[in-house]
Amino acid sequence: MAMTGVLRPGHVQMRVLDLEESIHFYTNVLGLIETGRDSQGRVYFKAWDERDHNSVLIRQADTAGLDFVGFKVDSVATLDQLEADLKAYGVMTERIPAGEMLETGDRVRFLLPTGHTFELYAEKTDIGNGQPYVNPEAWIPAAEHGIAPVRFDHLLCYGPDIEKAQAILQDVLGFYLVEHIELEDGSGDLAIWLSTSIKAHDIAFVRHPEPGKLHHVSFLLDSWEKVLRAADLMSINRVSIDIGPTRHGVTRGTTIYAFDPSGNRFETFCGGYQSYPDGKPIKWTMGDVGRGIFYHDRALNDTFLSVVT
Amino acid sequence: MRYSVQIEETGEVYACTEQQSLLWGLAQLGRKGIPLGCRGGGCGVCKVAITQGDYQTGPMSAAHVTPEERQSGVVLACRCYPRGDLSLRVLGKMQRTVCAPGGGDAAKASEQHQPAVQ
């Protein structure tokens, strides 16, 4: 088996300004399935085709934004090894005991230099995708409720020192660079797309003065047609759309950026290519950055670099 | 009910109903380059100070509007709804666009000469 170590982004926790309004949005508009609530007031969701208990957590707060992202690793042994590797690399880590998050095992937490709280975990209860593991159907009614993405797929973070975050993710956790936008003066990158799988990105970063900011959390759809259906559902439900439906030059995914009721941007996307760790990274220059981000408009919109939570 | 909202910096007046946010009404001016932001009270781009008139607000991020500011009439326009004729000053990142001489087009043109990242 080739895919070992860090497998995928498995959960995000986001802050929302009005919990009830957000539960309605995540359940009926985005079309996730609520799987639990805990004593801290957090509400847990998963996409219909995900098997693990949860992938999206929200909690009421007086600011919007991202609390943390967690990546699943292939075993408890890997979790222990990566914790030791992070410490050896000089990264301070903290262990959050199993059960602090519902149906989730021990988490190893650390702060990326970009200001984002990053977690690793090995265990989350498999509650299935509503189908038996023997002789399943192709899909279930939940696959048509709301936008109904297949899974939480990746996220884009904004913060300073993206090269330091890249070093930790590459050197310690085994991520690799798929695409990047080089700054005009060649002093570094404006943005990086990193993969820990054969996805074109599992996490991405844009250089930004304020630490710990969220640009978007992304959800995968099966087809371009479903991206268009998502756009219709956004209009039917008066969801604020940032841009799209359109296509990214970077990763080649078809996409819509829109906002949850608290202003946390989310993406519903399809496609993009598959990557492998031996692939040469694709470079974009600042002169063509518009085409890289929004392939059809060929220009950044007003909000791409300025609107984050 | 339909109310009139005055932008103090430019003297412009636009109409806004009770159900529409002040940002939505502003966007209906059709001016290019008004950054609509997140429209959910989270990003802070549309920060304004209400200098006169009654309004209601929805939830908005304390990272962008402190409780003290809120007491003094500072709000995010996307989560603020008029309950009477209003007067406001623009504080957020959209100030450059809304208040630029010649409107948004001039601001947009000047923006293009600035580096993409500060």
Side-chain angles (χ1 to χ4, degrees):
Chain A
M1 185 179 73
M3 200 183 294
T4 57
V6 182
L7 300 178
R8 62 174 176 274
H11 60 237
V12 278
Q13 181 171 310
M14 284 185 286
R15 299 184 297 276
V16 299
L17 301 173
D18 181 324
L19 192 63
E20 287 309 315
E21 169 186 58
S22 301
I23 291 169
H24 168 71
F25 171 81
Y26 281 98
T27 307
N28 298 316
V29 180
L30 187 53
L32 303 182
I33 296 167
E34 186 185 327
T35 57
R37 300 187 186 197
D38 69 17
S39 57
Q40 298 178 38
R42 297 183 293 191
V43 184
Y44 294 61
F45 301 91
K46 75 172 198 71
W48 75 269
D49 204 22
E50 290 174 318
R51 297 170 179 186
D52 285 356
H53 178 269
N54 59 72
S55 59
V56 174
L57 284 71
I58 60 172
R59 71 173 177 99
Q60 171 116 18
D62 65 0
T63 61
L66 178 74
D67 279 336
F68 55 81
V69 57
F71 275 67
K72 193 174 191 187
V73 304
D74 64 6
S75 66
V76 170
T78 296
L79 185 66
D80 295 342
Q81 183 62 52
L82 291 175
E83 182 182 34
D85 294 347
L86 283 164
K87 283 182 176 152
Y89 198 81
V91 178
M92 284 215 331
T93 64
E94 174 194 1
R95 231 183 222 248
I96 317 256
E100 194 275 342
M101 181 185 286
L102 292 182
E103 305 294 332
T104 304
D106 273 15
R107 288 133 65 205
V108 171
R109 178 181 279 189
F110 61 97
L111 188 65
L112 282 172
T114 49
H116 299 90
T117 300
F118 196 102
E119 298 181 344
L120 301 171
Y121 68 95
E123 297 171 314
K124 203 184 280 284
T125 306
D126 179 347
I127 62 168
N129 67 352
Q131 294 273 23
Y133 279 109
V134 180
N135 305 331
E137 301 300 338
W139 49 273
I140 56 173
E144 295 197 321
H145 180 71
I147 293 170
V150 172
R151 68 172 183 232
F152 157 49
D153 188 87
H154 64 269
L155 75 168
L156 171 55
C157 298
Y158 273 40
D161 295 326
I162 61 173
E163 59 286 329
K164 291 180 187 164
Q166 181 180 0
I168 294 169
L169 293 173
Q170 288 187 176
D171 298 349
V172 187
L173 301 182
F175 286 64
Y176 62 96
L177 183 69
V178 182
E179 301 205 28
H180 62 125
I181 299 170
E182 195 177 65
L183 288 169
E184 200 121 44
D185 62 8
S187 64
D189 288 325
L190 168 68
I192 50 175
W193 284 260
L194 301 169
S195 179
T196 182
S197 63
I198 61 165
K199 286 149 65 180
H201 51 343
D202 285 292
I203 192 166
F205 295 90
V206 166
R207 190 179 301 281
H208 184 74
E210 301 161 283
K213 292 293 174 182
L214 173 67
H215 186 273
H216 72 263
V217 168
S218 185
F219 297 92
L220 178 67
L221 296 170
D222 280 335
S223 68
W224 171 233
E225 201 143 33
K226 288 202 171 159
V227 176
L228 299 177
R229 176 180 172 276
D232 290 344
L233 286 168
M234 288 175 196
S235 277
I236 288 167
N237 290 287
R238 305 294 186 268
V239 172
S240 299
I241 295 178
D242 184 14
I243 191 167
T246 182
R247 181 198 282 279
H248 293 306
V250 176
T251 76
R252 305 199 299 242
T254 52
T255 177
I256 308 167
Y257 283 157
F259 297 98
D260 86 351
S262 307
N264 295 307
R265 193 188 276 96
F266 68 98
E267 176 181 47
T268 52
F269 89 107
C270 171
Y273 57 85
Q274 295 181 343
S275 63
Y276 286 92
D278 64 332
K280 185 174 175 180
I282 291 170
K283 178 169 89 177
W284 294 80
T285 61
M286 290 301 287
D288 236 349
V289 67
R291 197 166 58 88
I293 302 297
F294 300 122
Y295 188 64
H296 300 151
D297 287 348
R298 280 164 268 149
L300 294 183
N301 62 356
D302 292 317
T303 57
F304 184 77
L305 287 170
S306 59
V307 174
V308 291
T309 55
Chain B
M1 274 302 284
R2 204 171 160 83
Y3 300 110
S4 68
V5 182
Q6 183 173 49
I7 305 168
E8 283 193 6
E9 286 93 336
T10 63
E12 272 176 296
V13 176
Y14 65 89
C16 200
T17 71
E18 281 187 353
Q19 286 79 37
Q20 291 171 336
S21 72
L22 296 182
L23 182 64
W24 178 259
L26 184 61
Q28 299 314 300
L29 285 173
R31 179 89 69 65
K32 270 190 191 170
I34 290 179
L36 279 178
C38 75
R39 286 155 280 173
C43 79
V45 162
C46 62
K47 194 167 173 176
V48 298
I50 311 292
T51 52
Q52 216 175 352
D54 292 332
Y55 56 90
Q56 272 193 355
T57 56
M60 58 186 75
S61 170
H64 300 291
V65 181
T66 65
E68 297 76 43
E69 282 182 313
R70 225 162 143 168
Q71 285 287 320
S72 69
V74 173
V75 296
L76 299 181
C78 68
R79 288 282 205 173
C80 184
Y81 307 89
R83 292 293 176 265
D85 293 343
L86 288 179
S87 214
L88 62 80
R89 282 186 296 115
V90 181
L91 305 175
K93 288 179 190 167
M94 67 179 181
Q95 188 176 41
R96 195 167 47 174
T97 312
V98 175
C99 304
D105 295 339
K108 188 135 190 160
S110 74
E111 227 164 50
Q112 284 170 358
H113 294 293
Q114 297 188 355
V117 188
Q118 277 91 34

